[in-house]
Structure formats: structure tokens, C-alpha cells
Amino acid sequence: AIRMTQSPSSFSASTGDRVTITCRASQGISSYLAWYQQKPGKAPKLLIYAASTLQSGVPSRFSGSGSGTDFTLTISCLQSEDFATYYCQQYYSYQTFGQGTKVEIK
Amino acid sequence: EVQLVQSGAEVKKPGESLKISCKGSGYSFTSYWIGWVRQMPGKGLEWMGIIYPGDSDTRYSPSFQGQVTISADKSISTAYLQWSSLKASDTAMYYCARAEAVGATRFGAFDIWGQGTMVTVSS
């Protein structure tokens, strides 16, 4: 099974910061990579698919990049509503989620 | 509006059986995959498996193979997740989610999610 490893597991940031979360796959997955945002008590929300394609309705401050085994999610200017947990997911072979990255308020 | 609506919270005893549901509306139910995701209290997302209601093609994560059964009734646009004998460790929130069909046998990311069904197993 393909393993997905995110880093960091959590960190603190301030509104307005540029933040980057990384995700590494245990084997090449081309661009079959998605990013989700989850807030407490809510279902996850798709942000990005195909590694870099923004889902409809998602603000343009979110962006994704990478292919093969290494991927990043960037939030260009952190807003208050962005404090949440973020998950990467591969869908190259079945599906696997990363362990999550919690973005907290500094 | 495209949506997935899941059945309500359940409280069960160890050893009991359970079947939870996920009803799709606003789109062609037989043209998309429906997957199930577990989230144990305070933990991350775990992919359990997925079904294509159009032909009932079903795939399971090795971690959940034999532990649960995924099915669908396309006549009522509903997918199911069931257990024959629950354990305390099955206590979790369970989400269903929709994935686009990619080619003949592959699926994409989850673009629509249900609201979740909380399952509590306790004696």
C-alpha cells in the first residue's frame, strides 16, 4: 500500500503568514494527489485535486504543486478561517490519506 | 443541489450488527464512486473502501477487508457500510464521499462528502 507522510504534524502561524505543508508518497503517484481541509466537527472539504487544480469555489490563496513523490500545499496569506487540519490523499492506487497537519493560531 | 445524506448516529453494544447508509441526490448516482472514510475520535482520516453503484465493483483497504461490507442499492441511490459484529474499537465517525470515475476502473478525489455518522460501541 502507498503511504503518505505529511510534515509538519502541526504548527502555529499568524494571520497573513505564507504557510507551506508538504506531503511525500512512498512511491511515485504521478499527479494523483488531493488536499482537503477539515474543521472541528465538520466533514472534510476538497481544496485541490490533480496536485495543483483548485476545486471550484476555493479561494485562490490556496495552491498546490508537485508530482511523483513530493507535493506541497501553500496558503499565500493565511486568513482566520484557514485555521484547520489539512490532509493530503493519493488516488493513484486505491486511496490513502496522510496523517494530517493542524494549523493553529500563534 | 448535489448532496450525500447519511443516516443518524448509532449506539450499539459489542457483538451487535449495524448497517449505516448514505443517500445521494442531485446527480447520476450510478456514474460516480462512493467511498467510506473512518475518523476515530481525535484522529485522522482512514480510507476504508469504495463502490461503483453502476456495477457494484467494490474495493477495500487491506486494513478493512473482511471487517466491513460495502454495498449499494442503485434503485434508491443509497450506499451502505455494514458490520456483522461490532467492537469497541469501531467507535468512530464514518463519512461517505463521492469520487469521479476515471477511466474504466479508477476513481478520483472525493469532491462531495456526507455529514458523517457517529457510531458508538459500548457495553
Side-chain angles (χ1 to χ4, degrees), chain A residues 38 85 87 97-100, chain B residues 37-46:
Chain A
Q38 187 180 32
T85 301
Y87 295 91
F97 290 97
Q99 81 278 16
Chain B
V37 175
R38 183 175 80 174
Q39 188 167 39
M40 300 177 77
K43 302 299 183 183
L45 305 174
E46 299 174 270

Side-chain angles (χ1 to χ4, degrees), chain B residues 52-69:
Chain B
Y52 189 71
D55 61 7
S56 294
D57 184 3
T58 308
R59 321 280 176 84
Y60 292 94
S61 161
S63 299
F64 291 93
Q65 178 84 47
Q67 308 305 306
V68 296
T69 301

Side-chain angles (χ1 to χ4, degrees), chain B residues 2-59:
Chain B
V2 175
Q3 60 180 349
L4 297 172
V5 178
Q6 298 185 228
S7 49
E10 301 274 2
V11 180
K12 292 289 191 178
K13 290 181 168 39
E16 292 185 330
S17 63
L18 176 64
K19 191 174 190 178
I20 62 175
S21 66
C22 169
K23 183 173 177 61
S25 62
Y27 72 98
S28 174
F29 187 72
T30 55
S31 300
Y32 288 81
W33 294 77
I34 295 288
W36 289 93
V37 175
R38 183 175 80 174
Q39 188 167 39
M40 300 177 77
K43 302 299 183 183
L45 305 174
E46 299 174 270
W47 187 79
M48 301 177 72
I50 198 165
I51 187 166
Y52 189 71
D55 61 7
S56 294
D57 184 3
T58 308
R59 321 280 176 84

